[in-house]
């Protein structure tokens, strides 16, 4: 990418992924629905999908200096941190359950949940619209709403722990659903629900993008791998 002016990293990644799936996948020729990967490899296409959309490959909206910085950090960090850069972790907090990892997908958004995204360079605390309205009303400061106060505090405690251990210090973004800074979360999610989608989930969010979703990406991959 840095030495060849006309190099197309997305086409190169796609061809490499198709070759890998053709070689190591289990399938019947010309039958995309029969395609499968072993458990050890099954998550690999998802990493490649997120790498294609990451700031390491997509240079739009980043200066050349920022792009060089991101790539340098990817090369110098350990595997765990590099994985977080390529495919951020997403944790959901709600009244129904304790903190639990959820898919990096638009369907993870719900009005009564708080999401914590760790993409290494930034940490995002995202409040669903109902949680945000309760917080603005000051319920967390009222007697009898201790559980809500604890729910608000839990992702902040986790983000503090992440920030203390990491250098350079990641950017902390605290935002609400439909707020302007919610873009820091939405840009990292699989756009399974876009403005073109039929029947989006009530209370969820819609991502305004023409990027293909992971499901469409996998459909194309399976079709090309079994040829």
């Amino acid at each position: 990418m840095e030495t060849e002016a006309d190099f197309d990293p997305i086409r190169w990644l796609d061809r490499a992924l198709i070759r890998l799936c053709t070689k190591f996948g289990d399938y019947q020729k010309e039958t995309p629905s029969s395609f499968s990967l072993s458990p050890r490899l099954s998550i690999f296409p998802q990493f490649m999908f997120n790498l294609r959309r990451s700031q390491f490959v997509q240079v739009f909206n980043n200066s050349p200096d920022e792009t060089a910085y991101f790539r340098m950090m990817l090369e110098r960090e350990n595997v765990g941190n590099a994985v977080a850069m390529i495919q951020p972790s997403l944790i959901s907090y709600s009244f129904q359950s304790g903190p639990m990892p959820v898919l990096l997908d638009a369907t993870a958004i719900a009005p009564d949940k708080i999401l914590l995204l760790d993409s290494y360079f930034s940490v995002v605390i995202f409040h669903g619209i109902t949680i945000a309205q309760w917080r603005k009303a000051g319920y967390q400061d009222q007697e009898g709403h201790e559980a809500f106060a604890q729910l608000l505090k839990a992702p902040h405690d986790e983000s503090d722990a992440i920030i203390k251990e990491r250098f350079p210090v990641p950017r902390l973004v605290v935002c609400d659903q439909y707020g302007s800074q919610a873009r820091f979360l939405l840009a990292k999610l699989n756009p399974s629900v876009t403005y073109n989608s039929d029947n989006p989930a009530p209370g969820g969010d819609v991502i305004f993008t023409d990027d293909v979703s992971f499901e469409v990406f996998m459909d194309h991959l399976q079709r090309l791998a079994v040829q």
Side-chain angles (χ1 to χ4, degrees):
M1 291 164 71
E2 294 175 356
T3 57
E4 297 182 34
D6 296 326
F7 182 72
D8 186 340
I10 291 182
R11 284 179 64 86
W12 185 88
L13 281 170
D14 287 347
R15 285 197 298 267
L17 183 58
I18 292 166
R19 284 198 303 270
L20 181 138
C21 289
T22 299
K23 187 169 185 178
F24 294 103
D26 294 320
Y27 56 88
Q28 296 172 358
K29 199 161 181 62
E30 304 293 343
T31 311
S33 60
S34 67
F35 180 86
S36 66
L37 284 169
S38 75
R40 292 184 179 184
L41 268 179
S42 59
I43 202 170
F44 188 72
Q46 189 174 329
F47 275 99
M48 290 300 100
F49 172 76
N50 285 298
L51 177 61
R52 291 165 88 259
R53 303 178 72 228
S54 72
Q55 65 268 50
F56 307 113
V57 174
Q58 303 285 351
V59 297
F60 178 74
N61 213 26
N62 289 323
S63 71
D65 286 351
E66 286 176 313
T67 298
Y69 168 74
F70 292 139
R71 291 176 182 171
M72 180 198 73
M73 292 300 295
L74 179 65
E75 291 175 353
R76 59 162 271 187
E77 282 298 334
N78 60 32
V79 171
N81 287 337
V83 165
M85 294 178 195
I86 294 171
Q87 183 165 304
S89 67
L90 189 63
I91 300 173
S92 172
Y93 297 80
S94 69
F95 288 113
Q96 288 77 31
S97 63
M100 57 184 295
V102 291
L103 290 174
L104 197 66
D105 192 284
T107 55
I109 296 174
D112 59 347
K113 291 181 179 177
I114 302 175
L115 297 176
L116 175 65
L117 177 87
D118 178 13
S119 64
Y120 186 85
F121 298 107
S122 62
V123 176
V124 181
I125 299 175
F126 176 94
H127 302 97
I129 189 64
T130 302
I131 297 285
Q133 289 170 345
W134 290 346
R135 188 197 69 235
K136 289 172 184 174
Y139 287 176
Q140 68 276 14
D141 301 320
Q142 298 176 13
E143 192 173 344
H145 292 282
E146 291 78 8
F148 180 56
Q150 183 57 40
L151 180 65
L152 287 178
K153 184 173 179 290
H156 284 273
D157 290 344
E158 181 63 24
S159 66
D160 289 345
I162 293 170
I163 289 168
K164 281 178 184 175
E165 293 178 356
R166 189 166 296 162
F167 182 83
V169 175
R171 176 180 185 176
L172 176 63
V173 178
V174 181
C175 58
D176 298 335
Q177 188 176 2
Y178 308 128
S180 62
Q181 289 196 308
R183 66 186 187 277
F184 286 97
L185 172 73
L186 298 180
K188 297 292 184 182
L189 299 180
N190 170 34
S192 60
V193 185
T194 70
Y195 65 95
N196 284 323
S197 300
D198 297 325
N199 303 320
D205 219 325
V206 172
I207 298 180
F208 292 89
T209 182
D210 289 323
D211 288 352
V212 300
S213 67
F214 179 62
E215 292 75 17
V216 174
F217 175 78
M218 279 302 295
D219 285 344
H220 285 286
L221 175 61
Q222 290 170 358
R223 197 160 60 244
L224 292 167
V226 302
Q227 286 180 358

